[in-house]
Amino acid sequence: MAFTNDEIKKVAHLARLDMSDEELASLKPDLDAIMDWIEQLKEVSTEGVEPMLNACDYDLPIRKDEVKMNNTREDVMTNAPERGGEKKEYFSVPKMV
């Protein structure tokens, strides 16, 4: 299958590529070679081959979904350069206007 110049322009437009006519013409042999390779793949017999969902033939280990309290308020507030509020429980940042 060979691409026409109009088809190449359409693909470039859909991909939002701004290319000159010379650049588009230089892509034609590459696109034609890719389509020829795809045509060769269609000739391969896949009779009796089961579809794969994953390239690996093993299941991933499943772990329990457990809630862990890694960051407590005090641990996080130790990183605050300045604290705000009555109880000094908020990050204090400069006012942005």
Side-chain angles (χ1 to χ4, degrees):
M1 175 185 168
F3 278 96
T4 65
N5 289 340
D6 290 335
E7 290 172 331
I8 295 173
K9 285 180 183 178
K10 182 179 179 182
V11 170
H13 174 72
L14 291 173
R16 303 295 190 255
L17 298 175
D18 186 22
M19 303 176 81
S20 67
D21 289 337
E22 294 83 23
E23 291 173 319
L24 292 174
S26 70
L27 287 178
K28 187 174 179 8
D30 293 333
L31 291 174
D32 290 341
I34 291 169
M35 293 307 294
D36 289 341
W37 184 70
I38 291 173
E39 290 298 322
Q40 286 179 358
L41 287 177
K42 288 182 180 178
E43 296 174 7
V44 175
S45 174
T46 58
E47 196 68 33
V49 178
E50 294 184 29
M52 293 187 337
L53 297 177
N54 193 345
C56 300
D57 194 24
Y58 59 87
D59 295 329
L60 294 175
I62 297 176
R63 62 174 172 80
K64 286 186 175 182
D65 191 13
E66 299 173 349
V67 177
K68 296 180 181 177
M69 295 300 294
N70 292 333
N71 296 325
T72 63
R73 180 186 299 254
E74 278 307 311
D75 290 340
V76 172
M77 291 307 294
T78 59
N79 295 317
E82 292 185 37
R83 294 182 178 199
E86 288 180 17
K87 299 179 184 178
K88 303 290 185 191
E89 59 187 2
Y90 303 107
F91 274 75
S92 180
V93 295
K95 185 175 182 179
M96 301 297 290
V97 179

